[in-house]
Amino acid sequence: MPVNIRGRSFLKLLDYSPAEIRYLLELSKDFKRLKRSGVPHRYLENKNIVLLFEKTSTRTRCAFEVAGNDLGLGVTYLDPGSSQMGKKESIADTARVLGRMYDGIEYRGFSQELVEQLAAYAGVPVWNGLTDQFHPTQMLADLLTMEEKFGSLPGLRFTYMGDARNNMGNSLMIACAKMGIHFTACAPKELFPAPELVEQAQAIARENHCTVRLTEDVDEGARGANVIYTDIWVSMGEPDEVWETRIKLLRPYQVNGDVMAKADPGAVFMHCLPSFHDTNTTIGADIAQKFGITEMEVTDQVFESPQSVVFDEAENRMHTIKAVIYATLC
């Protein structure tokens, strides 16, 4: 049966079947070929989208803007100070206003409940560019990158190291379960994903002939993995006071040469970016001064190694976001 997701919102991968995710990945490959061949694909001319950002971003904004422009869309960007959403105007009212003016709405911010509310009232597709709970557009880019590197997804062994109860830990667990990838969250027990989400992911994994497991043991987590993935230790919006606690908890889970040596010889390193792998950022320099560490979730050696595919992931954000926009609007 052909896949048709026209008019649907893209809020989390839990809402999408493996067949629908596969459709988006194949569409992403088509758009990537067109882009790299220089073939115009302005299929959505005379349509308009708006990007609502409560959390700023380099990759998400640029990916949506370039994807929209390539498709012939008009694109409006509203930064955190350019909208009355949630301040002078309710989320429901904002959604209904924007839904009358735009053909699609992207939201990047804090609350999953907020993006769900936008989708309930807008009357047009709403795309989740990131919330505190889920990051579905990043998942498509990650899946596409893995498929490009390994040829297929089912049966791969994937390990996420770090804060496994953040939006990336949650989303990667679901994405792997949906696509037949064996998922391991390697983290301190207090940073494991929520038990109810783990149970849901394990049920999905059984349907797709793969596994979801949690471990505190770095050796066990890294052993034989095809993919080692990590993320920054403190997310945007969290208070600075958590840095000290998070560093103490997660320093043993840093992705370094020893960790990569325990993985499969052909393993790749992945990261959604930005990354604190050196002190060439204001935050990196500040953390180095306060806590005496110059590399955090990943060492510079691993980040810059041939095993690192982080910039392939970053590019693939554009191609996969283009696929989501096209598939839901066309």
Side-chain angles (χ1 to χ4, degrees), residues 154-172:
L156 289 177
R157 298 179 302 279
F158 181 105
T159 296
Y160 176 82
M161 291 199 170
D163 184 351
R165 30 128 243 192
N166 70 7
N167 49 21
M168 289 303 300
N170 291 341
S171 298
L172 287 164

Side-chain angles (χ1 to χ4, degrees), residues 19-330:
E20 290 166 337
I21 296 169
R22 168 54 51 198
Y23 166 68
L24 288 170
L25 292 175
E26 295 303 321
L27 191 56
S28 301
K29 294 177 191 177
D30 290 340
F31 278 126
K32 188 169 185 175
R33 283 191 288 267
L34 291 174
K35 179 74 171 177
R36 292 196 161 186
S37 301
V39 178
H41 41 283
R42 297 176 64 82
Y43 303 148
L44 297 178
E45 288 185 326
N46 301 317
K47 290 183 182 290
N48 296 279
I49 63 173
V50 61
L51 314 180
L52 300 177
F53 275 61
E54 288 191 313
K55 284 186 178 181
T56 57
S57 169
T58 300
R59 280 150 300 281
T60 302
R61 178 180 177 179
C62 292
F64 267 99
E65 288 194 343
V66 174
N69 289 330
D70 283 355
L71 290 169
L73 292 159
V75 181
T76 300
Y77 171 76
L78 295 178
D79 64 26
S82 299
S83 167
Q84 295 299 331
M85 182 177 66
K87 293 176 287 214
K88 292 183 179 179
E89 186 168 59
S90 71
I91 306 306
D93 289 355
T94 299
R96 286 179 285 193
V97 168
L98 294 178
R100 298 290 187 99
M101 298 181 182
Y102 292 94
D103 299 284
I105 300 168
E106 182 272 352
Y107 170 80
R108 177 184 169 92
F110 297 92
S111 168
Q112 181 70 20
E113 182 181 352
L114 191 152
V115 77
E116 301 272 356
Q117 194 175 2
L118 278 172
Y121 285 93
V124 298
V126 172
W127 310 299
N128 179 1
L130 173 143
T131 64
D132 288 344
Q133 193 172 0
F134 294 109
H135 197 355
T137 57
Q138 180 69 48
M139 293 307 98
L140 292 181
D142 292 341
L143 291 170
L144 178 60
T145 304
M146 285 189 278
E147 190 156 280
E148 289 174 341
K149 299 306 172 185
F150 296 104
S152 64
L153 297 175
L156 289 177
R157 298 179 302 279
F158 181 105
T159 296
Y160 176 82
M161 291 199 170
D163 184 351
R165 30 128 243 192
N166 70 7
N167 49 21
M168 289 303 300
N170 291 341
S171 298
L172 287 164
M173 180 170 62
I174 297 300
C176 288
K178 289 272 186 177
M179 303 311 288
I181 301 167
H182 299 290
F183 175 85
T184 297
C186 187
K189 192 166 290 184
E190 50 264 68
L191 298 182
F192 280 176
E196 58 272 19
L197 188 63
V198 173
E199 290 178 12
Q200 195 171 6
Q202 288 173 333
I204 294 168
R206 285 192 291 271
E207 294 174 3
N208 296 300
H209 312 292
C210 59
T211 56
V212 168
R213 65 177 185 146
L214 312 177
T215 182
E216 293 185 278
D217 189 298
V218 172
D219 289 351
E220 181 185 348
R223 191 179 304 121
N226 301 113
V227 179
I228 301 288
Y229 200 119
T230 193
D231 189 14
I232 55 175
W233 290 342
V234 176
S235 298
M236 186 185 300
E238 292 190 285
D240 289 345
E241 291 73 27
V242 306
W243 272 109
E244 184 173 6
T245 301
R246 208 66 59 78
I247 288 169
K248 287 178 180 176
L249 275 173
L250 291 175
R251 201 166 184 178
Y253 297 89
Q254 180 191 69
V255 179
N256 52 37
D258 289 341
V259 168
M260 295 304 296
K262 293 179 176 72
D264 183 82
V268 299
F269 168 73
M270 300 181 71
H271 194 304
C272 56
L273 302 182
S275 169
F276 297 125
H277 58 98
D278 55 28
T279 58
N280 296 330
T281 62
T282 55
I283 293 177
D286 184 56
I287 294 300
Q289 185 177 15
K290 288 180 179 176
F291 301 106
I293 58 170
T294 58
E295 303 163 308
M296 285 185 264
E297 75 279 1
V298 59
T299 61
D300 194 59
Q301 177 192 24
V302 171
F303 187 89
E304 297 291 356
S305 73
Q307 291 176 288
S308 176
V309 296
V310 297
F311 297 109
D312 295 323
E313 292 175 79
E315 178 193 341
N316 283 339
R317 291 294 305 283
M318 174 180 61
H319 306 301
T320 51
I321 282 171
K322 190 180 295 181
V324 169
I325 294 173
Y326 175 81
T328 54
L329 293 188
C330 186

